Each structure stands twice: as structure tokens, then as C-alpha cells.
Amino acid sequence: ILPGATGLAKNLIPEAKTLGVRVPDHEFCNKLLRKFGRPIVSTSANISGEATPKMFAEISQEIKEAVDHVVEPSLEKGATGQSSSIIKVGLDYSIEIIRK
């Protein structure tokens, strides 16, 4: 999570003016990012307040039907089933582990 988010759609920037950036460790994701040549904006795979899905089958149908594209679930082969770590970086270079 980085401070000072600007240049994005207003509905993507929270009151705190922060921006979460995912650094994927997955060949498909990295190829897609290279192909686009820019970051991909996405929402979480859960509705606020609901449990974080760890596998494709756990994502609610409501989410799957509301997005522009759903990636082939077979690409999760080898997935750990663990949520991403979340690290908050402060303007003073402080580091806070939000989720391990």
C-alpha cells in the first residue's frame, strides 16, 4: 500500500489517498502485464466484509458475473491457497505489515 495515489479514476482512490499494488509471482500474470505494458486495475475478488477467496471456486458468482473478464481457472494450478501479503510503505519509508 503506497501513499499519494493520483491519476486514477476517483472511485479507485480511497479517502486515505493510498494505492495497493500487487507484485505477482505467476508467469501468466507477468506475461499479461508485459503485453499490456502498464498496470492492470482490478477490484478485490470478494465483496467487502466477506471472506477472501483463496481459490477460484470460492469467488462469488456475483463477482464473476460483474467483471469484464474471468481468467481460465486452470491457471491457478500450483496456487498456494494463501492470501497475498500486504505491506504498507509510509512517506517516511516506514514499513508496516498489514497481512502476512
Side-chain angles (χ1 to χ4, degrees):
I1 300 173
L2 305 171
T6 62
L8 298 168
K10 291 179 183 177
N11 64 334
L12 294 176
I13 302 174
E15 277 187 40
K17 303 283 189 223
T18 58
L19 177 67
V21 178
R22 182 180 299 265
V23 181
D25 183 19
H26 192 282
E27 183 181 357
F28 172 80
C29 295
N30 289 321
K31 283 183 179 180
L32 193 61
L33 287 164
R34 281 193 296 279
K35 185 98 171 164
F36 283 145
R38 61 186 51 140
I40 299 170
V41 177
S42 177
T43 184
S44 298
N46 65 308
I47 296 170
S48 184
E50 290 185 2
T52 302
K54 294 181 174 48
M55 304 298 280
F56 183 81
E58 296 175 5
I59 300 172
S60 75
Q61 194 61 32
E62 182 179 358
I63 294 279
K64 292 176 190 174
E65 291 172 359
V67 298
D68 294 326
H69 182 73
V70 175
V71 174
E72 175 60 42
S74 66
L75 289 172
E76 72 182 2
K77 181 179 178 186
T80 64
Q82 295 179 327
S83 298
S84 299
S85 298
I86 300 175
I87 301 168
K88 184 176 182 180
V89 180
L91 289 172
D92 61 354
Y93 304 104
S94 60
I95 303 290
E96 179 185 353
I97 307 294
I98 305 294
R99 181 173 70 199
K100 245 182 173 178

